[in-house]
């Protein structure tokens, strides 16, 4: 019979308890943030028009074109009316323009950018996401973004994608943020369509996503007047 070192056993047990305590504390804090989001009435009203998808295009699994529908090349883009040299165009102007264009609150766009890249237009994640709103190459292509390091294109594309997620999940901000981080297919596969359902399925989401949603929602409060 294997002999167990009492000291090692005590240390291991203490470590396991500490890990469980940390995980439980994170879940409780995240649940509190989401519950507050459910109970609070947003001070910013978003006006969004949900576009009809082309025949045969669905919101099912994975491909970005299925989630967004075909790119409307006739639609005026932010690039069309920004100065030729965009280095001197402030992020504030770009964010405001994108928010108005896609019906996304400016405070939400700013908080996503803060958590995603800390307002660094040259940021690259370990997974290869790029720019202010951390677009993956495939996502960027689906959004018509040719240069993710260009703040004009990145903010326009990232805001458009965020707008689509808000539309898809009925304006539930926390759910849209979870989808922005973990992917809409993963969130939808859990049957999550509301903040309440997100709370109920919290355990099924990556801890990174839980922390991400909490951080963005916390940051948003600092941008909300």
């Amino acid at each position: 019979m294997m002999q167990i070192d009492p000291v090692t056993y005590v240390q291991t047990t203490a470590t396991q308890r500490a890990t469980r305590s940390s995980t439980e504390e994170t879940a409780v804090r995240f649940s509190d943030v989401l519950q507050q989001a459910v109970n609070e009435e947003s001070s910013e009203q978003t006006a969004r028009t949900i576009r009809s998808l082309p025949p045969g295009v669905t919101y099912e699994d994975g491909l970005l074109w299925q989630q967004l529908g075909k790119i409307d090349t006739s639609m005026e883009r932010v690039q069309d009316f920004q100065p030729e040299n965009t280095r001197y165009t402030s992020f504030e102007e770009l964010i405001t323009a994108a928010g108005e264009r896609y019906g996304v609150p400016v405070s939400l766009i700013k908080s996503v950018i803060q958590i995603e890249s800390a307002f660094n237009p040259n940021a690259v994640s370990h997974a290869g996401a790029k720019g202010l709103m951390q677009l993956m190459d495939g996502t960027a292509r689906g959004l018509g973004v040719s240069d993710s390091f260009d703040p004009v294109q990145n903010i326009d594309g990232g805001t458009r994608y965020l707008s689509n997620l808000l539309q898809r999940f009925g304006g539930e901000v926390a759910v849209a943020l979870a989808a922005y981080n973990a992917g809409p297919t993963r969130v939808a596969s859990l049957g999550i369509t509301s903040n309440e359902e997100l709370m109920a399925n919290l355990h099924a989401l990556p801890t990174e996503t839980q922390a991400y949603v909490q951080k963005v929602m916390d940051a948003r409060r600092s941008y909300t007047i």
Side-chain angles (χ1 to χ4, degrees):
M1 182 175 179
M2 183 177 67
Q3 298 296 320
I4 299 177
D5 182 2
V7 174
T8 301
Y9 175 77
V10 170
Q11 292 175 337
T12 301
T13 303
T15 300
Q16 291 173 339
R17 284 200 302 268
T19 300
R20 285 198 300 270
S21 177
S22 177
T23 302
E24 291 170 357
E25 181 181 354
T26 298
V28 169
R29 290 184 63 238
F30 185 56
S31 296
D32 289 343
V33 171
L34 289 183
Q35 188 61 56
Q36 185 173 356
V38 171
N39 295 334
E40 289 180 349
E41 291 185 359
S42 175
S43 61
E44 298 182 66
Q45 300 298 320
T46 60
R48 293 184 294 272
T49 301
I50 302 178
R51 297 185 294 107
S52 298
L53 295 178
V57 176
T58 71
Y59 279 125
E60 297 175 356
D61 295 349
L63 295 179
L64 187 64
W65 68 267
Q66 288 182 322
Q67 296 165 14
L68 297 178
K70 295 180 179 179
I71 300 294
D72 183 358
T73 56
S74 65
M75 182 173 61
E76 185 182 17
R77 308 286 291 181
V78 170
Q79 297 97 308
D80 295 335
F81 58 83
Q82 291 296 332
E84 181 177 352
N85 188 342
T86 60
R87 289 179 299 174
Y88 302 106
T89 302
S90 71
F91 293 159
E92 185 77 31
E93 292 172 346
L94 297 177
I95 292 169
T96 299
E100 292 175 352
R101 179 168 301 279
Y102 299 117
V104 179
V106 167
S107 62
L108 183 57
I109 301 171
K110 288 180 178 179
S111 59
V112 167
I113 293 174
Q114 176 179 319
I115 301 306
E116 289 284 358
S117 67
F119 287 89
N120 177 6
N122 299 313
V124 179
S125 76
H126 62 85
K130 299 172 181 175
L132 290 167
M133 298 188 76
Q134 291 290 276
L135 302 179
M136 296 296 290
D137 288 343
T139 302
R141 285 193 297 271
L143 293 163
V145 174
S146 60
D147 181 3
S148 292
F149 296 116
D150 175 9
V152 176
Q153 294 187 51
N154 191 287
I155 291 174
D156 180 56
T159 303
R160 183 182 176 209
Y161 185 45
L162 186 57
S163 174
N164 175 264
L165 294 175
L166 286 166
Q167 292 173 22
R168 180 177 180 180
F169 293 105
E172 299 280 4
V173 173
V175 182
L177 290 173
Y180 194 97
N181 180 262
T185 302
R186 183 167 192 171
V187 173
S189 70
L190 295 172
I192 297 173
T193 60
S194 68
N195 290 339
E196 292 89 342
E197 291 172 352
L198 181 62
M199 293 169 62
N201 290 276
L202 191 62
H203 62 281
L205 291 170
T207 54
E208 175 190 346
T209 300
Q210 298 176 31
Y212 174 81
V213 175
Q214 181 175 316
K215 288 176 182 178
V216 173
M217 294 179 70
D218 285 344
R220 188 182 179 190
R221 294 188 181 92
S222 67
Y223 291 115
T224 302
I225 300 176

